[in-house]
Amino acid sequence: MAKSMKLAGLKSVENAHDESVWTATWVPATNSRPPLLLTGSLDETVKLWRPDELELVRTNTGHCLGVVSVAAHPSGVIAASASLDSLVRVFDIDTNATIATLEAPPSEVWQMQFDPKGTTLAVAGGGSASIKLWDTATWRLVSTLSVPRPEGPKPSDKSSSKKFVLSVAWSPDGRRLACGSIDGTISIFDVPRAKFLHHLEGHYMPVRSLVFSPEPDGRKLYSASDDGHVHVYDAEGKAIIGAMSGHSSWVLSVDVSPDGEAIATGSSDKTVRLWDFKMRAAIQTMSNHTDQVWAVAFRPGGGGRLASVSDDKSISLYHCS
């Protein structure tokens, strides 16, 4: 039987931000520098950190409310930050020059992610119940993918608020997009045809984080929900493959290791957990944080690293072996 992954704490930075740290992602390495960790906070700043020492490279200001999402372009050259002010700022990683400011009123901005080829930025549109797609060559809004309302007997049903879109994830081939809503529904879209395909059912509370497994067929989708469960779906076949539980509270974030073998989650129970999907179980619990863990992120490529960020204002970095 294959050996399961293990986490070991490498470095923690207390008071990495002045307020809760809500979001984190890795910026891929370029020819001239290593990968960097990008974090966003309620303190309205975005920070870049050099591993493994978590040495602060730069602090970006410019948002006038808390930063809810950060996303890095696959080239490692540019990134985007989104705030509760509903603005997305696209910037150059090395110079911090603003490349574009994206706005699509009346849409809010929640999670966002660049597609694997880097041609499109997908932004979860909150109460607009849609995903906005921005072309990264022109920074024009090229498509709005709307989550269909369920047909129900009660027209008074405030279904639009239930379809509030929180999370978004691209499939590895960039042909599918998944989004998670406040009511627990996950919607799958065919991006080239700009067409809604189907819902994935099973969660009954907000789905705040989604990630596709990196396998080339790209069908396996992991979801994290406030219901305390991590689900694994066949995104094409509409089937739930597995459900895993172990956190004692909301699961706020899920990520999958670059080899697809392990899953990490962060929760409002203040822990980071490592899961083995084949065993359908948590194999390790890390209790570095003293408050809810908003994001976990595996470093892309080799050299096994996982980062986590929390309401306790700290960042933790782990070695994965």
Side-chain angles (χ1 to χ4, degrees), residues 45-67:
T45 70
V46 169
K47 295 190 180 192
L48 282 157
W49 308 84
R50 193 177 285 111
D52 277 337
E53 286 305 303
L54 290 179
E55 176 193 336
L56 183 63
V57 179
R58 196 177 60 243
T59 301
N60 296 354
T61 56
H63 287 292
C64 56
L65 286 169
V67 176

Side-chain angles (χ1 to χ4, degrees), residues 31-292:
N31 293 335
S32 58
R33 59 151 175 78
L36 300 173
L37 183 67
L38 185 62
T39 58
S41 165
L42 172 59
D43 70 10
E44 304 170 11
T45 70
V46 169
K47 295 190 180 192
L48 282 157
W49 308 84
R50 193 177 285 111
D52 277 337
E53 286 305 303
L54 290 179
E55 176 193 336
L56 183 63
V57 179
R58 196 177 60 243
T59 301
N60 296 354
T61 56
H63 287 292
C64 56
L65 286 169
V67 176
V68 287
S69 181
V70 287
H73 191 271
S75 65
V77 175
I78 63 170
S81 56
S83 155
L84 291 170
D85 59 16
S86 294
L87 290 180
V88 176
R89 177 177 182 257
V90 183
F91 59 94
D92 181 290
I93 288 286
D94 293 323
T95 67
N96 193 26
T98 300
I99 291 161
T101 304
L102 313 179
E103 218 180 340
S107 179
E108 295 119 309
V109 172
W110 291 90
Q111 234 173 35
M112 52 186 183
Q113 193 183 18
F114 287 94
D115 76 306
K117 295 188 183 71
T119 60
T120 309
L121 176 67
V123 180
S128 70
S130 67
I131 304 170
K132 305 275 193 245
L133 300 183
W134 298 86
D135 179 315
T136 60
T138 61
W139 297 110
R140 286 203 179 94
L141 181 63
V142 286
S143 188
T144 297
L145 304 176
S146 292
V147 177
R149 306 273 186 267
E151 291 82 44
K154 303 193 294 279
S156 65
D157 200 18
K158 305 234 181 344
S159 59
S160 59
S161 61
K162 298 205 181 82
K163 293 299 173 211
F164 190 106
V165 178
L166 289 167
S167 51
V168 65
W170 288 94
S171 64
D173 63 6
R175 297 183 61 81
R176 295 285 182 267
L177 201 51
C179 71
S181 297
I182 272 189
D183 68 351
T185 314
I186 298 166
S187 307
I188 305 291
F189 293 90
D190 176 325
V191 179
R193 295 190 303 163
K195 184 172 178 283
F196 167 78
L197 293 179
H198 47 255
H199 289 307
L200 302 176
E201 307 287 344
H203 287 300
Y204 296 97
M205 289 176 74
V207 175
R208 295 180 194 271
S209 184
L210 294 165
V211 63
F212 277 90
S213 202
E215 288 93 9
D217 73 349
R219 293 177 64 127
K220 201 189 287 176
L221 177 70
Y222 296 101
S223 60
S225 170
D226 287 9
D227 61 22
H229 296 279
V230 176
H231 284 180
V232 192
Y233 293 95
D234 175 347
E236 294 293 303
K238 296 200 283 192
I240 185 161
I241 304 168
M244 300 183 292
S245 57
H247 281 295
S248 59
S249 186
W250 302 358
V251 191
L252 300 172
S253 178
V254 61
D255 199 18
V256 62
S257 60
D259 64 4
E261 290 296 312
I263 310 141
T265 53
S267 165
S268 37
D269 70 8
K270 310 176 188 176
T271 68
V272 170
R273 287 180 198 230
L274 188 69
W275 307 76
D276 185 313
F277 172 64
K278 293 185 187 74
M279 293 163 62
R280 302 282 201 282
I283 48 178
Q284 201 176 354
T285 301
M286 304 299 277
S287 303
N288 296 32
H289 292 292
T290 58
D291 208 335
Q292 47 190 10

